[in-house]
Amino acid sequence: MAAVFVDRVFKGIEAVLAALLLGMVLMVFGNVVLRYAFNSGIQVSEELSRFFFVWLTFIGAIVAMRDGTHLGMDGFVTRLSRRGKLACLAASQTIVLVCCVMLFWGTWQQHEVNATTKAPVTEISMIWVFGIGYLTSVAIGAHALHALWRIATGRLRDDELVQVTESEEIPHDAAHTGARP
């Protein structure tokens, strides 16, 4: 039941990513056409496309973490025993969790500055841009905590012990089964 809910949430997140990408493309392409054809442009679109890119990158990192599509060096880890793979996974998830805490803490420390600083063109509070650090750190941190809990309770299958792939060209599932595209 919870897995179905999480899958639906991530489908929604992927739709948000698609909307951000579409908005970015339309704004940048529209500005290019306006500049070359009419020697003008829309300043708001330049600023918003940058903001969209920041959000696209950080939200995409959340989705990539869940899907296990971040790049890594699995050539070494795949040769280890189950116990070695568990130790490496626990160490990597602990490091990820520490980085999430640092990202959250840094965003928190900069919150007041970002909340009181306005974007030059749209004049929106910059916390709407840099506040994505809260969402990213909490979401990825929750994923790392869940993985650590599954390690501690022994609920990880052997095929889940290597959560990254060394190559972009090999699909994540194929890398762990030995299949090649």
Side-chain angles (χ1 to χ4, degrees):
M1 181 71 157
V4 172
F5 174 74
V6 171
D7 288 341
R8 287 185 181 165
V9 168
F10 272 90
K11 287 293 182 195
I13 291 171
E14 289 170 4
V16 168
L17 287 175
L20 287 170
L21 184 59
L22 177 65
M24 230 173 77
V25 167
L26 290 175
M27 286 187 282
V28 171
F29 181 73
N31 241 7
V32 168
V33 169
L34 286 172
R35 285 208 178 135
Y36 284 107
F38 303 105
N39 200 24
S40 70
I42 303 171
Q43 290 180 344
V44 170
S45 70
E46 291 179 24
E47 192 169 271
L48 284 178
S49 64
R50 284 193 302 269
F51 296 166
F52 281 20
F53 183 70
V54 170
W55 275 72
L56 184 74
T57 302
F58 279 78
I59 295 171
I62 296 168
V63 173
M65 183 70 173
R66 178 182 185 255
D67 293 345
T69 53
H70 281 286
L71 291 178
M73 296 177 19
D74 63 340
F76 169 74
V77 178
T78 55
R79 294 185 179 107
L80 297 175
S81 66
R82 177 174 171 78
R83 179 178 243 160
K85 289 176 186 174
L86 280 169
C88 284
L89 183 58
S92 70
Q93 293 302 318
T94 302
I95 291 169
V96 166
L97 190 58
V98 167
C99 289
C100 286
V101 169
M102 290 181 354
L103 176 60
F104 188 91
W105 180 247
T107 305
W108 179 260
Q109 287 185 313
Q110 289 294 115
H111 182 93
E112 187 62 33
V113 172
N114 290 324
T116 57
T117 303
K118 295 195 180 295
V121 178
T122 59
E123 295 187 3
I124 63 172
S125 172
M126 292 303 288
I127 196 63
W128 286 103
V129 180
F130 298 112
I132 189 65
Y134 290 129
L135 176 67
T136 304
S137 61
V138 168
I140 292 178
H143 182 276
L145 278 173
H146 184 252
L148 287 168
W149 177 77
R150 291 184 69 209
I151 291 167
T153 58
R155 296 182 182 189
L156 278 176
R157 299 183 315 266
D158 286 344
D159 64 326
E160 295 177 299
L161 293 177
V162 180
Q163 295 190 346
V164 296
T165 56
E166 201 166 295
S167 173
E168 292 179 326
E169 297 170 4
I170 302 171
H172 180 66
D173 295 334
H176 300 297
T177 60
R180 296 278 187 217

